[in-house]
Amino acid sequence: MKYQRSSALFAAAQKVIPGGVNSPVRAFKAVGGTPVFVENAKGAYLYDADGNKLIDYINSWGPMILGHAHEPVVNAVIEKAKKGTSFGMPTEIETEIAALAVAMVPNIDKIRFVNSGTEACMSAVRLARGFTGKEKIIKFAGCYHGHSDSFLIQAGSGAVTFGAPNSPGVTQGTAKDTLLATYNDLDNVEEVISANKNEIACIILEPVAGNMGCIPPAKGFLEGLRKLCDENNILLIFDEVMTGFRLAAGGAQELYGIKADIVTFGKVIGGGLPVGAFAAREEIMNHLAPIGPVYQAGTLSGNPLAMAAGLAMLKELNEKRDIYDSINKKTEYLHKGMEAALNSEGIKFTINRVGSMISVHFSDMPVTDFESAAAANNENFKRFFHGLLNEGVYIAPSAFETWFICDALSYEDLDVTIAACGKVAKNLI
Ligand SMILES: *Cc1c(COP(=O)(O)O)cnc(C)c1O
């Protein structure tokens, strides 16, 4: 595969952009090498600056669930752009997409749109604190909720008591209000709650974790959290930035039949434009300004182009519900095929999959939390990543990311991918 032009573009970018990228994972730090610069994309394929065609398993980290440059979405944006791109005043389309989202997702009455998943999660936590009058939050090690200060926290010395900043710039003061718990470990959550009685506003989690590879919730985990929240007057926040409109029209709440108090969205809900949102029942959402005391705002929130893309995307998903069956079947086919290909070379691996989220960890142990994800063989992942890239298959450039399957993938694409896995597996250890 040729990389000359991507290499030159990366060198130029590094002179004026820190690390050459506007979001760190794009820089290939976890796998080494030069990031691929994209020229354009259509359906399941990326075309890079050197003219390579790649089968895409990232799909912009989730939004392009129907494939790139999906026509109803692109056309909606073009038509809207002709009428002006931002007003800072209310528009009818905001109500349209809000009503559709509320109809598709269980347990929500009102929704507020923002510009990213980060903003959605940050605002959801503020709302939870404002609503409960309590200050501490529980998050799980390995779950990602965007880059706002409260979430850039690692386990501190007394993990049960409070966390420590995991980035310079996050203050100790902020860190002490974020408590870290272990994913899929209810006993640990219970311990953290009892050590901080009556101080916890909310528990926030990815109902299916996608930011340490794909990690499904263990049987009873989500139910157990719901119960602990009810018993302790804690709000349960499902961060559905990845899972929302992907695992089902109603997201993980629908798939698992669990009711969250606040739900956050991003990725699919914007159809590829910068959109996030958070939603809850009316009693909670009415705490937000301008009708309630909890402040939250945004100059470009509800932007007409972003709303047009999001609305076109949600309409497609709402009208063609068999899309979920279709992408889930494709993902299952990929799962079985990769499993056979890796097994035939005697490789140690674990594939986790929920719906159209899937990832490969090079470990022979079950991967159920951050610790077991981190214990996998990263050298093999690097070889796997670069081997597949060389075969024209683009997966996430880090073992700590899930792959996102889109419906534009054909079974022929999946067969090409599986064959590439078989070939690459010969170079794994
Ligand atoms: C991507 C992601 C976010 C952050 O969204 P941005 O739009 O990147 O700010 C938050 N939570 C989860 C679960 C995500 O996957």
Side-chain angles (χ1 to χ4, degrees):
M1 199 174 126
K2 286 191 307 178
Y3 291 104
Q4 283 85 341
R5 199 158 144 67
S6 274
S7 296
L9 290 172
F10 189 47
Q14 282 172 293
K15 291 192 179 135
V16 284
I17 301 171
V21 292
N22 281 310
S23 195
V25 73
R26 297 177 196 170
F28 277 25
K29 228 176 137 184
V31 291
T34 299
V36 175
F37 275 61
V38 179
E39 196 73 36
N40 63 295
K42 181 70 190 167
Y45 311 120
L46 294 168
Y47 300 89
D48 75 8
D50 288 283
N52 301 302
K53 175 183 172 183
L54 303 169
I55 304 176
D56 186 12
Y57 285 95
I58 312 301
N59 288 291
S60 187
W61 304 97
M64 323 318 288
I65 190 169
L66 302 177
H68 291 283
H70 188 64
E71 264 170 37
V73 176
V74 171
N75 291 339
V77 174
I78 292 171
E79 286 314 308
K80 209 62 176 171
K82 291 178 187 165
K83 297 179 175 174
T85 57
S86 180
F87 316 112
M89 293 165 73
T91 53
E92 187 176 358
I93 194 170
E94 293 163 81
T95 309
E96 265 183 88
I97 184 173
L100 182 54
V102 165
M104 290 172 79
V105 177
N107 311 319
I108 63 172
D109 301 319
K110 291 186 177 180
I111 183 165
R112 166 121 342 141
F113 285 91
V114 293
N115 305 290
S116 67
T118 293
E119 255 188 274
C121 295
M122 176 186 87
S123 307
V125 163
R126 183 181 305 141
L127 179 58
R129 285 171 164 154
F131 183 78
T132 59
K134 298 188 278 185
E135 297 201 345
K136 291 187 176 167
I137 69 171
I138 294 179
K139 86 169 280 283
F140 293 91
C143 278
Y144 181 68
H145 306 293
H147 63 91
S148 85
D149 287 8
S150 297
F151 301 122
L152 297 183
I153 306 296
Q154 59 192 349
S157 47
V160 180
T161 43
F162 54 81
N166 83 0
S167 164
V170 176
T171 66
Q172 301 285 348
T174 296
K176 77 173 178 31
D177 288 329
T178 300
L179 309 166
L180 263 285
T182 306
Y183 200 78
N184 280 330
D185 186 345
L186 278 177
D187 290 342
N188 177 246
V189 179
E190 216 168 336
E191 223 179 311
V192 175
I193 293 173
S194 58
N196 297 273
K197 269 271 174 239
N198 302 321
E199 292 186 273
I200 298 165
C202 61
I203 296 178
I204 183 167
L205 83 158
E206 297 175 67
V208 174
N211 285 289
M212 36 187 168
C214 174
I215 298 188
K219 206 167 173 12
F221 181 57
L222 300 176
E223 290 84 350
L225 290 179
R226 179 68 271 173
K227 191 159 168 280
L228 284 173
C229 284
D230 289 341
E231 289 166 357
N232 292 282
N233 196 19
I234 295 170
L235 295 184
L236 181 61
I237 304 181
F238 271 13
D239 176 352
E240 297 227 38
V241 171
M242 258 185 202
T243 53
F245 305 100
R246 171 169 286 279
L247 295 184
Q253 285 195 103
E254 178 184 326
L255 184 66
Y256 293 103
I258 304 288
K259 197 169 173 171
D261 295 303
I262 305 179
V263 189
T264 62
F265 300 102
K267 302 192 169 116
V268 175
I269 200 172
L273 268 78
V275 179
F278 59 107
R281 60 183 182 268
E282 182 159 25
E283 174 200 13
I284 296 175
M285 289 307 274
N286 284 354
H287 265 63
L288 278 180
I291 46 174
V294 177
Y295 192 68
Q296 189 279 324
T299 300
L300 290 173
S301 291
N303 171 268
L305 301 194
M307 296 296 97
L311 180 61
M313 176 62 84
L314 296 197
K315 274 186 174 164
E316 287 277 285
L317 296 174
N318 190 42
E319 284 159 19
K320 303 173 188 163
R321 295 279 175 114
D322 53 354
I323 281 167
Y324 293 107
D325 221 32
S326 169
I327 47 174
N328 293 354
K329 286 207 175 98
K330 286 175 186 178
T331 313
E332 186 183 1
Y333 184 87
L334 178 69
H335 183 168
K336 299 253 163 75
M338 287 201 298
E339 200 166 65
L342 292 169
N343 270 332
S344 72
E345 296 300 325
I347 306 298
K348 290 177 181 164
F349 67 95
T350 298
I351 298 178
N352 284 345
R353 172 175 59 90
V354 177
S356 56
M357 293 165 63
I358 182 169
S359 66
V360 182
H361 289 97
F362 291 99
S363 167
D364 54 354
M365 309 273 283
V367 176
T368 58
D369 58 14
F370 183 70
E371 207 180 333
S372 47
N377 181 336
N378 199 47
E379 178 54 35
N380 256 354
F381 185 83
K382 286 185 197 174
R383 293 184 186 197
F384 188 59
F385 172 82
H386 284 292
L388 286 181
L389 183 57
N390 210 38
E391 297 294 321
V393 175
Y394 188 67
I395 64 165
S398 161
F400 288 89
E401 305 288 351
T402 190
W403 312 7
F404 299 95
I405 303 311
C406 81
D407 201 42
L409 278 167
S410 65
Y411 280 89
E412 203 182 343
D413 296 326
L414 297 170
D415 285 335
V416 168
T417 306
I418 292 162
C421 284
K423 207 165 152 188
V424 170
K426 296 189 193 311
N427 297 318
L428 303 182
I429 42 180

